[in-house]
Amino acid sequence: MTNLELPLHTKIDGYGVLDNELVIGGRKISDIARELGPGPFFVYDSALIRQRIEHLRAHLPKGMHLHYAIKANPMPAVVDFIAPLVDGLDIASEREMHVALATDMSPQLMSFAGPGKRVSELEAAVASGITVTIESETEMKRLEAVADATGSRPRVAIRVNPDFELKTSGMKMSGGPKQFGIDAERVPGVLDQIATSKLDLVGMHIFCGSQNLNAAALVEAQYKSWELASALMKRVPHELEWFNIGGGFGIPYFPGDAPLDIAPMGAALSDIQSQLTAQSSVTELVIELGRYIVGEAGIYCCEVIDRKLSRGRVFLVADGGLHHHLAASGNFGQIIRKNYPVLIGNRVFADQAEVQSVVGPLCTPLDLLADQMEMARGNIGDLVVVFQSGAYGPTSSPVNFLSHPHPRELLV
Amino acid sequence: MTNLELPLHTKIDGYGVLDNELVIGGRKISDIARELGPGPFFVYDSALIRQRIEHLRAHLPKGMHLHYAIKANPMPAVVDFIAPLVDGLDIASEREMHVALATDMSPQLMSFAGPGKRVSELEAAVASGITVTIESETEMKRLEAVADATGSRPRVAIRVNPDFELKTSGMKMSGGPKQFGIDAERVPGVLDQIATSKLDLVGMHIFCGSQNLNAAALVEAQYKSWELASALMKRVPHELEWFNIGGGFGIPYFPGDAPLDIAPMGAALSDIQSQLTAQSSVTELVIELGRYIVGEAGIYCCEVIDRKLSRGRVFLVADGGLHHHLAASGNFGQIIRKNYPVLIGNRVFADQAEVQSVVGPLCTPLDLLADQMEMARGNIGDLVVVFQSGAYGPTSSPVNFLSHPHPRELLV
């Protein structure tokens, strides 16, 4: 394995280089491209996913449950690969539920969160024995109606919107008014209602935010989440199966980003787990991660179909772009556009480096995969590789934009 | 017809109100929703599209050609409806080509632009008799190779990247280094090469930008485009069939936006047409519009499935959101998020107005269709309507995000 160093980005770990070509899953990028035929594709490396999970297990306290949030990458082959390596699957829609149920994992280890679950989704989840995370009083009543109609005892969890926020997070999902979960101060009342209902409360869920690279901020949020959960769980007349403390572990995308140091999180979670065990011998501590598990294990690859010089600037025009990978174009939740790590996959180390912009085939200046980055001189037929593309790639992109072909996905 | 007035947005013209419900295409929104069944949908009103085209014809100089840029809304029913009302169709991909070819329009009236056309797309366009807009010297050579291989004489146009920019435009697509077209100063050399090739040069294309609401800026760009084209056309040894002066007409999306006054553009284009006719009796003046033709003729509609109060703020949780309508969520090319015009479609005029936020079902705070807007008090089962949604809706959105159902589309 080679540590790839881009001029401005953090080291890219885990990928190999052979004949100056990027190697993923033991295969040269040009071999994969040839086999798949024309058109852009995503490749996910199962070995890197496994390594990341092992890395997590090494730092997380023993016995802590690790869940995979399918939304990060719902490709069935990826979910099938991950399912036996983790302790649970978290889903966000009925279609994700089908992907999860197609694995060998027990539905008892799956939970369904999201602020706007349709009644048909609630019914399907209950019928499958999946735990539904209640995010509002309305949802609680709907689940009671499902219980009445089916004579079942739905497994539910409660999602708490805490009264603090996760600092320095890419996406803040807690603190202040939010559509997610039930405000902490109203949770006791809801717990009382659940206690007299036909619902089987098995878990509690607090999720503060995502894509955070600041270990201290994450640790602080973990402790605050635990304190809040601890107090709230004392209001529950029985012991819960689990407390899901969220996730939010970020990955380095942009120049200046450093990888998250998970050692402090592991230490904090170990401490929290001890406190939890002291409070309840039954309740498992759960962490839910998506992007952190798959994000760095995948790349996006497209082909240079034109090389243009316009008024002193070099443009590599690729057959892929924002319609396949919106986040890499800078148009998904970013305030200021920054470059993902990008290089020429079939010429990794450059004899001749050059500042180039990689654009896609779309009729919009937004279609920009690399803005004036230094990389090997790109020519027609070369393969542009965008790293950190294993999470929120094709499913987060407007794949029908300008009616171009969709990207393919491959797990190696 | 009623002029709908939202508190902060420009008037919404052309929609009716009956029983305090929004009427589109003569039908109440709740009737359309009931007929389509559960789930969000886009509706496009053919009468409004026709009216917009008639409005354009009334202001554009007589004989000027109006083209529809399919990319704005490639729904086949929409393209079929528009084709007989316009003088040409502009396409941006092979799939758009198929939609265009399925209409009754002659391929001679179609042109294919875009900075990254694949060789297979060039071959398909040439085989169909569609004019290919050359955007680079590479493309010129590829088209010559197609001519050699097939013994045909491909119809081509040249796209010029001008040396000026369109001021105050939402999307600047000219001036400085760009991936679009061939830099103006290099066009004479390319024209010389085309003159001795097997390519049949029929048109010239200059496109400065899109989504512009400033008539003065557009007029200035039109004159500059014409001056540049005029000089360049004198380098061509024969008379061209057309000069496409672009489009760029914007529509009002956000609070403070005023509709574009197209009268000054009509006057300028009339003047330009006279000058063009004086230079060549053959060359037609073409304007290419997409968003301006369909954008205000369409709405997006989703259903409130939960109403939540969180720390003093009201959230209407809908079954639709950014996965269907990325631009309305503020995540497509916007620097600062602003609200589209949004209201409760089944309770247009509010007895009881309230400041509410409309969010979608996704697990991300980006999923926001209306941020603290004043509208009729929304309840579960109500229909949220987002106006100005006829262009760049579903095809510009990450429809597979979190694996939720896709939106439906209806032309009425």
Side-chain angles (χ1 to χ4, degrees), chain B residues 142-161:
Chain B
R142 285 182 178 147
L143 285 162
E144 288 191 70
V146 174
D148 283 338
T150 60
S152 63
R153 186 164 155 77
R155 289 167 57 82
V156 302
I158 187 163
R159 179 165 175 186
V160 182
N161 175 27

Side-chain angles (χ1 to χ4, degrees), chain B residues 17-23 28 346-348:
Chain B
V17 178
L18 183 64
D19 302 337
N20 205 17
E21 278 206 39
L22 186 74
V23 171
K28 290 199 285 188
N346 55 310
R347 205 173 315 111
V348 171

Side-chain angles (χ1 to χ4, degrees), chain A residues 93 135-136 138 142 161-162 173 176-179 181 183 185-186 305-306 308-311 331 395 401-402, chain B residues 93 135-136 138 142 161-162 176-179 181 183 185-186 305-306 308-311 331 395 401-402:
Chain A
S93 68
E135 309 229 5
S136 75
T138 307
R142 284 183 178 145
N161 174 27
M173 296 169 74
K178 286 283 179 301
Q179 69 259 46
D183 294 347
E185 54 274 26
R186 294 170 65 180
I305 57 174
D306 205 349
K308 293 174 74 166
L309 183 71
S310 172
R311 297 182 181 133
N331 288 289
T395 59
F401 194 52
L402 301 204
Chain B
S93 69
E135 309 229 4
S136 75
T138 307
R142 285 182 178 147
N161 175 27
K178 286 282 180 298
Q179 70 260 46
D183 294 347
E185 55 274 27
R186 295 170 64 180
I305 58 174
D306 205 349
K308 294 177 73 167
L309 183 71
S310 172
R311 296 182 180 132
N331 288 289
T395 59
F401 194 52
L402 300 204

Side-chain angles (χ1 to χ4, degrees), chain A residues 322-323 360-367 401-402 404, chain B residues 69 71 90-93 96 112-117 135 159 171-173 179-180 205 207 209-210 288 291 392:
Chain A
L322 79 71
H323 53 313
L362 309 181
C363 303
T364 166
L366 299 176
D367 191 14
F401 194 52
L402 301 204
H404 280 284
Chain B
K71 63 173 83 74
D90 295 317
I91 60 174
S93 69
E96 286 190 7
F112 184 3
K117 297 186 276 295
E135 309 229 4
R159 179 165 175 186
M171 294 279 166
K172 285 188 173 48
M173 298 167 74
Q179 70 260 46
F180 307 109
H205 185 186
F207 190 81
S210 68
E288 171 181 344
R291 185 197 313 264
Y392 302 111

Side-chain angles (χ1 to χ4, degrees), chain A residues 289-307:
Chain A
L289 296 169
R291 185 197 313 265
Y292 193 75
I293 290 176
V294 292
E296 296 182 74
I299 60 163
Y300 173 63
C301 181
C302 51
E303 187 179 332
V304 177
I305 57 174
D306 205 349
R307 179 187 160 89

Side-chain angles (χ1 to χ4, degrees), chain B residues 236-362:
Chain B
V236 181
H238 62 283
E239 291 179 297
L240 298 182
E241 291 180 18
W242 49 262
F243 163 51
N244 182 334
I245 199 164
F249 293 16
I251 64 172
Y253 283 109
F254 306 120
D257 283 356
L260 178 65
D261 179 9
I262 66 165
M265 250 96 60
L269 291 168
S270 187
D271 182 31
I272 289 168
Q273 190 188 43
S274 302
Q275 295 182 42
L276 172 60
T277 306
Q279 184 169 329
S280 159
S281 60
V282 173
T283 313
E284 305 278 4
L285 185 61
V286 173
I287 191 163
E288 171 181 344
L289 296 169
R291 185 197 313 264
Y292 193 75
I293 291 176
V294 292
E296 296 182 75
I299 61 163
Y300 173 63
C301 181
C302 53
E303 188 179 331
V304 177
I305 58 174
D306 205 349
R307 179 187 160 87
K308 294 177 73 167
L309 183 71
S310 172
R311 296 182 180 132
R313 196 174 296 176
V314 179
F315 291 93
L316 303 179
V317 184
D319 60 355
L322 79 69
H323 53 313
H324 296 166
H325 202 337
L326 187 63
S329 79
N331 288 289
F332 201 58
Q334 297 170 38
I335 306 296
I336 299 166
R337 190 196 176 284
K338 297 178 193 166
N339 287 322
Y340 270 47
V342 175
L343 51 67
I344 302 296
N346 55 310
R347 205 173 315 111
V348 171
F349 300 110
D351 290 334
Q352 212 184 348
E354 196 178 54
V355 173
Q356 297 158 104
S357 293
V358 180
V359 299
L362 308 181

